[in-house]
Amino acid sequence: MARKALLITPELCIGCRSCQVACKSWNQLPAEKTKNRGTHENPPDLSGSTYNKIHFIETTDAFGNLKWLFVSQRCRHCGDPACVQVCPVHALQQDKETGIVFYDKSICIGCRACSYACPFNIPRYDENGKISKCHMCIDRVKAGLEPACAKACPTGAIRFGDRDELIAQAKKEGFKYIYGEKERGGLGVIYALNEPPKVYQLVENPKVSEDVLALGELLRGLVKKGIPVDASIVRKFLGSKETLVRV
Amino acid sequence: MKWIMKAKKERGAKLIVIDPKFSRTAAKADIYAQIRPGTDIAFLGGLIKYIIDNELYFKDYVVNYTDAPFIVVPEFKLPDDLDGVFSGFDPKTKKYDKSTWKFELDENGVPKKDPTLKHPRCVLRLLQRHFARYTPEKVSEITGIPKDKILEIYEIIASTGKPNRVMTECYAMGWTQHTTGVQNIRAMAIIQLLLGNIGMAGGGVNALRGESNVQGSTDHCILFHILPGYLPTPKATDVDLKTYIKNYTPITKEPKSLNWWKHRPKYIVSLLKAFYGNYAKPENEFCYQYLPKRDENKSYAWLNLFDAMYNGEIKGFFAWGQNPACSTANANKVREALAKLDWMVTVNLWDNETASFWKGPGMDPKKIKTEVFFLPCAASVEKEGSITNSGRLAQWRYKAVEPPGECKPDAEIMNELYKRIKALYEKEGGVFPEPILHLNWNYGDEKVDTTIIAKEINGYFTADKVVKGKKFSKGQQVPNFVYLQDDGSTACGNWLYSGSYPEEGNMMARRGKEDPTGLGLYPKWAWCWPLNRRILYNRASVDLYGKPWDPERPVIKWDASKKKWVGDVPDGPQPPLALGGVLPFIMKPLGVGVIFGKGRADGPFPTYYEPVESPLSKNPLYPKYKFNPLAKIFKAKPVDKLAIHDPRYPIVGTTYRVTEHWQTGVMTRHMDWLLELEPQIFVEMSKEFAQEKGIKSGDKVIVKSPRGELWAIAIVTERIKPLKVLGKTVHVVGLPWHFGWQWPKDGSGGDSANLLTPDVGDPNTTIPETKVFMVNIEKA
Amino acid sequence: MINLEILIIYKIFKLAFCSEFFKFIKRDYKLAKYYKNTFKNGGEKMKLTRRDFLKLSISSLVLSSFSLDLSSVKAYAKELRIKNAKEITTVCPYCSVGCSIIVYAKGGKVVATEGDPDSPINEGSLCPKGSSLYQLVNNPYRVLKPLYRAPYSDTWKEVSWDWALDRIAKLVKETRDKYFIHKDEKGRVVNRIEAIAHVGSAALDNEECYILQKLMRALGIVYIEHQARI
C-alpha cells in the first residue's frame, strides 16, 4: 500500500458538512451542544468529538467580488509528525504503510505533549482526557475502504487516494498551489488551491519547536526507565508551553 | 450540487445563481445576482423580451413545436391595453371570463398559424408586445440587480437558443411560494420553449422538490383536486360517470396530435375497479357515486382547509407525517385552529409542534377541548416500499430492522384503522356505508404486504381479455397502461405507475447500471414513469425527420432503416413528424408546447405584480394593479392581517432552508448531529442594516410581522446587501423555518419563521406567499 | 506573573521525595544535577532547548529514539464494525433527489449507514442529512408507544394501540355519520364529508400514499391535502 492522502479542493467544497456528519457517524462521536454565534460555522472548534470541520470564510477577492470559502480543517497527517515524535508512550503512531497518523487511546496518558508539538493546533482530547483527532479512518483504509468524509463528499472536494497520484492529479488540473506537498515532510492532507494558502487561512511554513521534541525524548526516557510519568505532572510541564515555546 | 460541480469542472458549464441571499450555491456560481424577493417575473419578462427582440430564440423549434405561430382572436387584449389585466377581467368577482383567450380557427377547427412569426396577433408577437415595457432599466429598478449584470445573465442564457447549447433550470420554493408562483414557473417554461431547451439532454425546467416522496405523493394525489394519476376529482356538476368522462376527456381537431388524455376514460374506470373491485360494474357506473363530489365553487386547498378549521367547520383532523403548526403560512392561525377541533390524530416518529399544540406558547390546555392521539410510526428503513424522486424515478426500499418499541409501519396503521371503521359500520350500520364496506382492501391481516399494493397500483386484469392481439387471463398483471380498458376488465390504482410491477416483477427494485446513451439515463436502474421514459417530451429533441438537434448528445434518434427510435423510450413509437408522425407534446391537445397558457386563472402570459406585502406603494409596471388581482386573500378575524405598505413594517422578509435541516425540522432537530451544525433560528441581514439598528452578529433580535413575532440570532453578513429599488434603499432579511418551540426541549432552537408569513395564495394553486412579507426588527 | 519555571521546580521538588525518583537519581546523577542546577537558578528563565536534551540523552539516560516500538502497541485497526453485517439498500428519507444508502444491520440493530456507491444518482456520496441516517433509527427521542391527550388535559398519557385505534374509529364514524352530506343544497348527490380533514404525507411510501387516499376518499373526505400544496 502506497502512502495515502486526502486531497482537499476548497473550490469544489459547497460547505454542506456532510463530511462532519459522516465522520461522527462512522466514528460514533457524540454531537456537541452548540449555539449560533452569528455564523453558520459549527461546532466552533475541533474537539474530542469533532475530528474534522469546515471553516467558513467570508472575504472579498481582488476584483471586489464577494467570496465565501469553505476549508476542511483536520489533522494533516504530516510526513514528519511531531506529535508522534513527542508522544512519550507511543500512543500516537505513523502507519508505515499508509503514512496515516493514528493513535491508541488505551495507551494515551493524556499528557497533551502532542497538542503542544503540532504546528497546526490539531490534537484534542475526549472526555477522559485521551487523544482524539482525525485518523483518516485507518480502520476503513486498512480494509480497502475510503475514509468516511471522502466517501460522503458530494462534490469531490475531499478526495482520497495514493498521495503521489493525488498530487499529480491536482497539478494536472492546473491548481496554482499544492499546499502540503513539501510542508512537514509532505502532508497527508493536501490542499489544491488557486489562491495563496493564507487566503484559506492555512498555516504558512508550519514549524515545530525543537524544544518540544526534546521534551518528548526526555519523557519517553523516563517511561523507558520504568518511571511512572504522572500525566498531571507532564501537563504541568506543558502548561508552561508559552514560556518554552519562546525560548 | 454533485452534478453541477461536475458539469462546471468537466464541461465548463456556467452556473448562474439568482437569489435574495448569497447562498452556499451562490459561492460556487460564475455569476450571482441578488434579487429583491418576489420580482422574478420582471427579471424573466425582461429576458423574454431580450430573446425575442434580438431573435435569439430557436426558430425551427419554436415554429414547429410550440404555439408561437398560432393566431389569437382580435378580441383578446393584453395588460398593455387594459392597464394591467387581460381581457375578460371582472373587478367585482376578481375573476377572468376567458372567452377571448383563444385562437382563430381554420375551417377544420385547427388554430390558424403564421410560420413566419410576423402576424401581429401570433403568440410570439403578442408575447413580444406584452413584455415590451420590461426594459433592462425597468427590470433593474424593480429587482435591484444592476443593469450590466442583468444583461450579462441575459446574454448567457439566450446563447442556449442554439441547437448544440442547452440550459437546465432548477428552482424550488423560492419561485413557487408567491401569489405569482405558477406564473414564475410558466415564465421559465416559456423561456425554455423559446430556446428549444425542453426535451433535450440537460435541458428542462426542474423542480427541486423537497420531500423524499413528494413526487409520489403528488402522483398518488393526496390533494383535494386530483385522483391518482392526475385525474380530476369529481365536482358536484359531474353528476355521473358519463358527464365526468365528457368533461375531462379532451378532443382535438389537430390531426398530428396524439392528445394522450383521450385515454382518460380507461384510467378512471380502471381506478374505480381498483377502488371497488367486484362491486364496480358497468351498470352502477363502476361505483362512481361512491366518490365524494366537491363543490364546484369551493376550494378545499391547504389554506382553505385551515381557514375552515379556524372557523370551526372542521371537527376531526388527521395530520399524518406532517407538522402544519410550523409549516403553514401564518402558523399562529393554524395553532389556534387546532384548538377548535373535536379530535385530532397525528402520526409521526417524534412528538412535534402540531401534536403538542395544546401546550404550546400562549396555549392554556385547560381551555382546549381537542382530543389528541399520537400514533408512533416506523421510519423508512423499518418498512418496505417505493418512493419516487424529483426525476420521476420510483426506487424500492427494503426493511433493515424492526421498528422500535411499539412503532408500526404507516400502512399497518391504515390497515388497522380501516378494519376497525369497517367493523363498526358492519355492526352498527350508519350513513352511506357502501363505499366503506365495498372498498377493495385486502392487504394482509395484521402485517401489510406492500408488494400487494404495488401490484394493484400497476394494475391487473379482472377478466380474461385479448388486448392488442395478446391474450391475458384474469389476475394477470397489466404490462403497462397501454393495455388498460374502460370496460371494467382492468383494475389499476394509478395509470402512470402501470408498468412498474408487471408479470416480470418489481421494476422499481432494479439496479442495472448500464448507460447505453452515455447521457446518464441508466434505463435499468429502478423505474421511471411513464413507461420508464427518462426525459419527458423527448420527441422535441429531434428535428422533423428524427435527427437530434444536438447530434453530440442525442436523447432519441430515428433509425430509418429499422423504422424505429433508438435511445430513450420515445413519447410514442410513431415515426418523426415529417414522416407521418406526431407532434412532440403528446399530453397537450394541440401537441405543441404552450406559450399562450389559457388554462391559467390569472392570464395566459406571466405578468408582473408586486407581492401582496411589498415595500413599494405601487406596481412600477402597472400602477393600477399593485398585486395579483386574483391572489387569494383570507379574512378570518382577528388572525388574518396584512402589512400593505405599512410604515411599521419597512423591511422585506423572506424564508429559506439550510441543507442541514429538513422542512419544519422534526426529522432533523431530533438528530443531534444535524442540530449541532445549525442549532438555532437565525436572521441574516446586511452590515448596513445591522449598523442602522445597532445589531451585532450573534445578537438576539426580535422579528415582527402583523401576524406574529419571534426571536432569532442575527447573522450580520456581506452576503446580503441593501438593494436600490426605484432609487430607494430596500433592506432584506431572511430566516429559515426549520425550528419550533417543542424541540429542542430547552427552547434553544426558537420557533417557526412561518409565524411571520402571510396566508395569501396563488390563484391557481393556493400555495402561500411565504417567500415575501414585510417585517420589522429590534434588538431583543 | 508566577514564573512557570518555579511551578515546574516545585513539582520536581515534590517528586524528589518519592522513592522512584530517588532510584532514578541513583541511576543517573546527571539528570539530577541538571534539575539541581535548574533549582538553583530558579529565578532565571528555564532554557530547555533541544540541544540540552540531546546532551542529556548522550548520557544514556534517555534511550528513546524516533523509531517506533510497535510491539508495545496494540494495532489501531480493529475489526470493522460492518463486518458480517446484513447489508440492505434504502433511499434517503429526506429530500427528493433519491440518493441510495446502504444500511448495515447486525442483531436487529442498525450498526452503520453510508452512501451506496452503485447508485447512479449519488455514487456513494450524501448530504449531511443523508449522512446522519444512522441517528434516525438509533434515536433516543422517538415516541415508542401511542400517546393520548384527553380533552382539557395538560399531559400526554401512554395508551394501548387497541384502545387508541378503537377510539379513533369510533370518533371517525360518529363525525362522519353526523356531518355526511349526501345531497347538496341544489339537490345534487355529492356524498362528501367536510367536517373531517386530512393532511399528509410526502414522507410516506408510494404504496402508503395510495391506500391512504383510498381510505380517506372511501370515507367521503374532500379536505385531503399534503406538503405538495405548500
Side-chain angles (χ1 to χ4, degrees):
Chain A
M1 215 181 255
R3 187 176 173 199
K4 300 292 179 193
L6 291 169
L7 177 66
I8 311 285
T9 314
E11 276 189 11
L12 292 175
C13 179
I14 53 174
C16 75
R17 301 181 280 184
S18 187
C19 48
Q20 290 183 220
V21 179
C23 175
K24 295 214 166 192
S25 183
W26 178 256
N27 294 303
Q28 300 279 289
L29 298 169
E32 293 182 41
K33 176 79 183 161
T34 56
K35 56 184 187 177
N36 190 313
R37 297 159 293 123
T39 165
H40 294 283
E41 183 170 336
N42 250 328
D45 194 7
L46 295 174
S47 75
S49 53
T50 301
Y51 294 174
N52 69 336
K53 68 181 283 267
I54 300 293
H55 179 42
F56 288 48
I57 306 168
E58 260 183 61
T59 181
T60 314
D61 72 7
F63 307 100
N65 293 317
L66 178 62
K67 295 278 169 194
W68 203 7
L69 309 176
F70 312 113
V71 194
S72 174
Q73 294 182 329
R74 61 171 74 236
C75 171
R76 308 292 203 274
H77 297 275
C78 306
D80 178 14
C83 57
V84 169
Q85 291 162 28
V86 80
C87 180
V89 293
H90 301 310
L92 274 156
Q93 295 179 22
Q94 185 175 33
D95 182 54
K96 281 184 177 144
E97 247 187 337
T98 60
I100 293 174
V101 178
F102 67 105
Y103 48 91
D104 185 338
K105 282 196 187 209
S106 68
I107 294 170
C108 173
I109 53 170
C111 71
R112 307 204 173 201
C114 50
S115 84
Y116 183 55
C118 177
F120 302 105
N121 184 27
I122 296 298
R124 298 290 189 278
Y125 305 89
D126 65 15
E127 68 280 7
N128 301 317
K130 308 281 187 179
I131 169 77
S132 298
K133 68 162 194 76
C134 165
H135 46 69
M136 218 191 268
C137 291
I138 188 166
D139 49 345
R140 292 173 62 92
V141 172
K142 289 282 183 181
L145 303 170
E146 57 188 324
C149 56
K151 171 83 189 293
C153 179
T155 58
I158 304 175
R159 279 179 275 178
F160 173 76
D162 289 351
R163 187 171 181 275
D164 293 345
E165 285 176 20
L166 287 174
I167 291 172
Q169 180 66 25
K171 286 182 176 165
K172 206 176 114 196
E173 288 171 14
F175 285 98
K176 290 187 198 139
Y177 303 87
I178 312 288
Y179 177 84
E181 187 182 7
K182 302 225 164 59
E183 284 82 354
R184 298 299 312 152
L187 303 183
V189 175
I190 304 148
Y191 293 76
L193 311 169
N194 279 321
E195 301 283 336
K198 66 167 189 252
V199 171
Y200 291 91
Q201 301 178 4
L202 296 168
V203 181
E204 285 181 293
N205 305 317
K207 282 202 185 79
V208 176
S209 156
E210 288 196 342
D211 303 337
V212 185
L213 296 178
L215 175 64
E217 278 185 70
L218 174 66
L219 295 174
R220 202 168 295 176
L222 294 177
V223 173
K224 269 267 152 132
K225 287 278 180 186
I227 296 155
V229 175
D230 183 314
S232 69
I233 290 169
V234 177
R235 209 175 297 130
K236 281 295 179 193
F237 273 97
L238 296 172
S240 62
K241 187 168 166 176
E242 294 297 307
T243 320
L244 281 165
V245 163
R246 286 186 195 126
V247 172
Chain B
M1 285 303 288
K2 180 183 178 73
W3 304 107
I4 293 173
M5 296 307 286
K6 193 172 173 176
K8 269 168 68 77
K9 203 172 146 198
E10 292 178 10
R11 294 183 58 88
K14 291 265 179 278
L15 174 63
I16 300 170
V17 173
I18 301 171
D19 196 308
K21 86 264 170 214
F22 187 96
S23 63
R24 281 176 271 188
T25 308
K28 300 292 128 184
D30 295 284
I31 305 174
Y32 163 73
Q34 185 188 331
I35 189 169
R36 173 164 69 97
T39 61
D40 304 85
I41 289 178
F43 184 86
L44 298 173
L47 174 54
I48 292 171
K49 173 182 163 63
Y50 180 90
I51 293 168
I52 302 177
D53 288 357
N54 295 296
E55 296 200 26
L56 295 168
Y57 49 88
F58 185 175
K59 199 172 173 205
D60 285 344
Y61 187 105
V62 164
V63 170
N64 293 298
Y65 295 162
T66 78
D67 61 6
F70 292 18
I71 295 168
V72 178
V73 297
E75 295 77 28
F76 173 73
K77 296 282 176 256
L78 288 167
D80 240 30
D81 313 313
L82 301 172
D83 295 336
V85 288
F86 294 91
S87 48
F89 182 68
D90 179 347
K92 268 193 204 132
T93 58
K94 296 197 169 162
K95 277 188 179 154
Y96 276 109
D97 164 6
K98 299 186 190 175
S99 56
T100 59
W101 303 4
K102 61 182 181 192
F103 301 125
E104 272 187 5
L105 303 179
D106 67 13
E107 60 283 8
N108 299 317
V110 177
K112 286 187 187 165
K113 298 168 193 120
D114 174 20
T116 67
L117 300 173
K118 285 190 180 128
H119 193 291
R121 278 188 284 111
C122 79
V123 168
L124 190 84
R125 293 302 150 212
L126 286 175
L127 190 68
Q128 187 177 27
R129 191 153 73 81
H130 177 61
F131 286 119
R133 61 175 74 188
Y134 294 56
T135 59
E137 294 75 19
K138 204 82 190 165
V139 173
S140 173
E141 279 184 357
I142 295 170
T143 60
I145 306 172
K147 187 182 153 190
D148 292 351
K149 191 166 264 183
I150 289 171
L151 289 171
E152 189 188 358
I153 296 171
Y154 285 179
E155 193 187 328
I156 293 183
I157 293 180
S159 76
T160 68
K162 298 183 184 74
N164 64 344
R165 282 176 67 80
V166 74
M167 167 180 77
T168 192
E169 196 289 322
C170 298
Y171 71 92
M173 313 313 273
W175 262 1
T176 55
Q177 288 174 336
H178 292 279
T179 45
T180 52
V182 169
Q183 298 287 10
N184 282 335
I185 314 306
R186 283 215 76 241
M188 184 43 83
I190 290 171
I191 289 162
Q192 288 294 58
L193 282 173
L194 291 174
L195 298 171
N197 287 339
I198 303 251
M200 302 284 286
V205 180
N206 297 297
L208 298 176
R209 305 203 67 180
E211 317 237 357
S212 59
N213 195 31
V214 69
Q215 187 58 53
S217 59
T218 309
D219 299 335
H220 293 298
C221 300
I222 308 182
L223 290 163
F224 87 89
H225 70 298
I226 35 180
L227 298 168
Y230 303 92
L231 309 175
T233 50
K235 295 178 187 160
T237 40
D238 306 320
V239 291
D240 51 25
L241 182 61
K242 210 175 122 194
T243 312
Y244 176 91
I245 285 172
K246 185 172 155 275
N247 286 347
Y248 302 116
T249 310
I251 41 174
T252 185
K253 301 219 166 124
E254 167 57 59
K256 287 177 184 163
S257 167
L258 210 49
N259 184 29
W260 196 261
W261 279 118
K262 70 185 171 202
H263 299 296
R264 184 114 59 189
K266 297 170 185 170
Y267 306 152
I268 182 71
V269 171
S270 295
L271 178 73
L272 287 166
K273 283 295 286 181
F275 269 35
Y276 294 109
N278 292 336
Y279 291 98
K281 298 171 199 158
E283 52 271 30
N284 66 4
E285 305 177 84
F286 300 103
C287 298
Y288 172 77
Q289 297 302 347
Y290 287 4
L291 290 177
K293 316 279 177 296
R294 60 187 164 101
D295 189 316
E296 72 276 21
N297 294 316
K298 194 168 166 177
S299 170
Y300 301 86
W302 185 277
L303 291 182
N304 300 78
L305 186 161
F306 286 100
D307 196 53
M309 193 187 289
Y310 185 83
N311 292 328
E313 295 163 27
I314 292 172
K315 308 294 174 193
F317 179 53
F318 288 91
W320 205 302
Q322 278 216 253
N323 186 18
C326 284
S327 62
T328 311
N330 198 358
N332 273 328
K333 180 177 175 182
V334 171
R335 294 175 185 188
E336 286 179 40
L338 296 173
K340 301 186 179 187
L341 293 166
D342 290 345
W343 53 269
M344 171 169 78
V345 178
T346 63
V347 186
N348 218 308
L349 299 169
W350 294 277
D351 192 3
N352 55 69
E353 289 74 15
T354 301
S356 276
F357 81 91
W358 41 272
K359 53 177 172 174
M363 293 284 173
D364 179 359
K366 291 187 182 68
K367 290 185 182 147
I368 295 170
K369 66 172 188 294
T370 316
E371 205 174 333
V372 187
F373 302 82
F374 182 99
L375 306 179
C377 58
S380 56
V381 299
E382 297 156 3
K383 60 185 183 185
E384 187 169 343
S386 70
I387 60 169
T388 306
N389 80 352
S390 231
R392 296 169 288 106
L393 194 70
Q395 302 186 91
W396 196 258
R397 317 195 266 211
Y398 296 92
K399 177 173 164 178
V401 290
E402 289 296 328
E406 295 180 17
C407 298
K408 282 182 196 290
D410 296 85
E412 220 171 290
I413 302 174
M414 295 164 201
N415 194 33
E416 285 294 329
L417 265 182
Y418 171 68
K419 286 191 311 186
R420 283 163 210 254
I421 294 169
K422 185 185 178 192
L424 278 182
Y425 274 95
E426 271 167 351
K427 198 172 129 206
E428 301 171 3
V431 178
F432 197 44
E434 289 85 351
I436 298 164
L437 300 179
H438 296 173
L439 196 64
N440 178 33
W441 187 290
N442 295 299
Y443 305 125
D445 270 349
E446 194 189 324
K447 301 270 177 214
V448 171
D449 180 355
T450 43
T451 59
I452 299 176
I453 308 171
K455 286 178 181 173
E456 176 178 326
I457 291 170
N458 175 85
Y460 51 87
F461 285 92
T462 58
D464 295 350
K465 182 91 183 170
V466 176
V467 187
K468 296 183 185 292
K470 278 191 203 163
K471 246 176 95 176
F472 295 95
S473 46
K474 184 179 170 180
Q476 215 175 331
Q477 290 296 99
V478 170
N480 60 53
F481 56 71
V482 173
Y483 294 85
L484 293 176
Q485 302 297 309
D486 60 4
D487 61 359
S489 60
T490 54
C492 175
N494 190 331
W495 72 275
L496 280 176
Y497 282 78
S498 194
S500 63
Y501 211 129
E503 282 293 306
E504 295 88 315
N506 188 347
M507 296 288 129
M508 301 174 283
R510 294 184 303 171
R511 291 174 63 83
K513 293 196 284 183
E514 307 86 342
D515 183 23
T517 60
L519 295 172
L521 303 183
Y522 302 96
K524 288 181 179 163
W525 180 269
W527 183 87
C528 190
W529 69 255
L531 300 174
N532 204 29
R533 183 174 302 138
R534 303 283 159 143
I535 297 183
L536 286 179
Y537 299 123
N538 51 29
R539 291 179 74 101
S541 72
V542 296
D543 67 12
L544 274 54
Y545 296 90
K547 201 172 128 256
W549 296 119
D550 181 1
E552 304 253 303
R553 285 170 293 169
V555 182
I556 55 168
K557 61 181 169 197
W558 180 251
D559 184 333
S561 58
K562 291 187 184 137
K563 290 207 186 297
K564 64 171 217 177
W565 293 97
V566 288
D568 193 13
V569 178
D571 268 330
Q574 292 79 3
L577 192 57
L579 306 174
V582 293
L583 287 158
F585 291 87
I586 62 167
M587 303 309 287
K588 296 287 161 198
L590 293 170
V592 292
V594 174
I595 293 172
F596 190 72
K598 48 196 174 21
R600 301 285 68 79
D602 48 352
F605 294 142
T607 305
Y608 182 70
Y609 298 110
E610 283 287 316
V612 170
E613 291 196 351
S614 131
L616 306 187
S617 57
K618 263 191 218 147
N619 179 349
L621 284 171
Y622 310 98
K624 206 173 155 191
Y625 295 94
K626 187 183 165 195
F627 56 83
N628 191 338
L630 280 84
K632 295 201 178 168
I633 311 251
F634 293 85
K635 288 173 181 161
K637 280 193 177 133
V639 288
D640 283 327
K641 289 176 240 172
L642 293 170
I644 295 180
H645 206 59
D646 183 336
R648 289 173 299 172
Y649 305 99
I651 315 300
V652 178
T654 188
T655 60
Y656 41 79
R657 307 177 192 215
V658 293
T659 195
E660 294 80 359
H661 282 291
W662 187 73
Q663 311 297 357
T664 66
V666 176
M667 264 177 81
T668 49
R669 282 185 268 135
H670 288 93
M671 308 281 276
D672 291 341
W673 289 329
L674 296 172
L675 194 65
E676 171 193 278
L677 299 174
E678 286 287 358
Q680 293 179 298
I681 186 164
F682 57 82
V683 54
E684 292 188 300
M685 60 185 75
S686 70
K687 288 197 166 151
E688 292 80 355
F689 175 70
Q691 201 170 14
E692 255 178 46
K693 291 276 181 177
I695 296 166
K696 285 193 286 301
S697 218
D699 282 354
K700 201 177 229 190
V701 297
I702 303 290
V703 189
K704 290 181 186 182
S705 88
R707 296 158 293 275
E709 62 174 67
L710 50 81
W711 65 259
I713 304 295
I715 294 183
V716 178
T717 175
E718 293 280 354
R719 293 178 292 100
I720 293 185
K721 297 221 160 73
L723 293 171
K724 273 270 173 277
V725 175
L726 297 168
K728 284 188 188 146
T729 300
V730 169
H731 290 299
V732 179
V733 299
L735 312 87
W737 55 283
H738 305 298
F739 297 92
W741 60 267
Q742 196 272 332
W743 196 268
K745 223 170 192 168
D746 59 5
S748 59
D751 211 336
S752 172
N754 277 322
L755 294 169
L756 307 171
T757 57
D759 51 337
V760 293
D762 176 276
N764 298 284
T765 59
T766 325
I767 191 169
E769 188 157 69
T770 46
K771 286 291 169 271
V772 207
F773 47 95
M774 300 303 290
V775 296
N776 207 347
I777 295 188
E778 297 300 336
K779 264 180 93 161
Chain C
M1 156 186 155
I2 297 174
N3 276 323
L4 291 160
E5 300 90 291
I6 295 174
L7 257 178
I8 296 164
I9 291 153
Y10 169 71
K11 282 287 171 192
I12 293 166
F13 192 69
K14 253 179 91 182
L15 257 176
F17 290 97
C18 87
S19 58
E20 271 87 355
F21 195 64
F22 276 118
K23 278 186 229 156
F24 169 59
I25 290 171
K26 268 183 226 159
R27 262 182 256 150
D28 198 313
Y29 72 96
K30 279 188 181 174
L31 181 73
K33 202 173 149 193
Y34 179 83
Y35 282 130
K36 220 174 123 194
N37 288 339
T38 314
F39 181 80
K40 275 184 183 160
N41 305 324
E44 248 182 66
K45 279 224 162 184
M46 190 174 168
K47 295 197 173 179
L48 287 174
T49 66
R50 182 171 165 82
R51 220 164 28 251
D52 290 332
F53 279 113
L54 287 175
K55 259 192 264 166
L56 282 167
S57 63
I58 296 163
S59 75
S60 86
L61 165 73
V62 179
L63 300 169
S64 80
S65 73
F66 293 133
S67 72
L68 295 180
D69 182 6
L70 282 169
S71 61
S72 67
V73 178
K74 276 189 280 176
Y76 181 85
K78 286 170 277 183
E79 188 168 273
L80 274 191
R81 198 161 74 245
I82 52 178
K83 204 177 160 189
N84 300 325
K86 183 176 84 170
E87 208 178 293
I88 64 111
T89 57
T90 189
V91 180
C92 181
Y94 289 98
C95 91
S96 193
V97 170
C99 298
S100 187
I101 301 178
I102 299 175
V103 182
Y104 297 96
K106 236 185 212 176
K109 288 267 170 219
V110 169
V111 293
T113 61
E114 63 182 76
D116 176 359
D118 286 342
S119 167
I121 295 172
N122 57 311
E123 293 181 342
S125 68
L126 291 170
C127 84
K129 297 182 291 299
S131 283
S132 75
L133 187 73
Y134 171 89
Q135 221 165 41
L136 183 81
V137 267
N138 295 296
N139 191 295
Y141 316 124
R142 292 263 299 267
V143 177
L144 302 177
K145 284 183 173 169
L147 301 176
Y148 176 69
R149 183 261 176 186
Y152 310 109
S153 164
D154 60 1
T155 52
W156 286 113
K157 72 169 193 198
E158 286 184 357
V159 291
S160 74
W161 273 102
D162 269 334
W163 185 87
L165 291 165
D166 283 340
R167 175 88 190 132
I168 295 165
K170 190 165 171 281
L171 288 168
V172 168
K173 182 168 187 296
E174 274 175 15
T175 313
R176 184 179 179 274
D177 286 354
K178 188 169 171 193
Y179 294 99
F180 196 81
I181 308 168
H182 175 54
K183 282 185 179 171
D184 66 7
E185 303 104 60
K186 291 178 187 156
R188 300 172 298 189
V189 175
V190 292
N191 288 335
R192 66 171 184 251
I193 164 134
E194 295 186 356
I196 304 177
H198 168 93
V199 301
S201 171
L204 296 173
D205 291 351
N206 280 321
E207 295 71 26
E208 293 168 335
C209 290
Y210 171 72
I211 63 167
L212 183 56
Q213 59 82 37
K214 186 173 174 178
L215 170 62
M216 294 301 162
R217 291 190 158 119
L219 295 172
I221 299 175
V222 278
Y223 278 115
I224 297 176
E225 285 280 276
H226 83 289
Q227 286 96 334
R229 181 77 61 191
I230 53 170

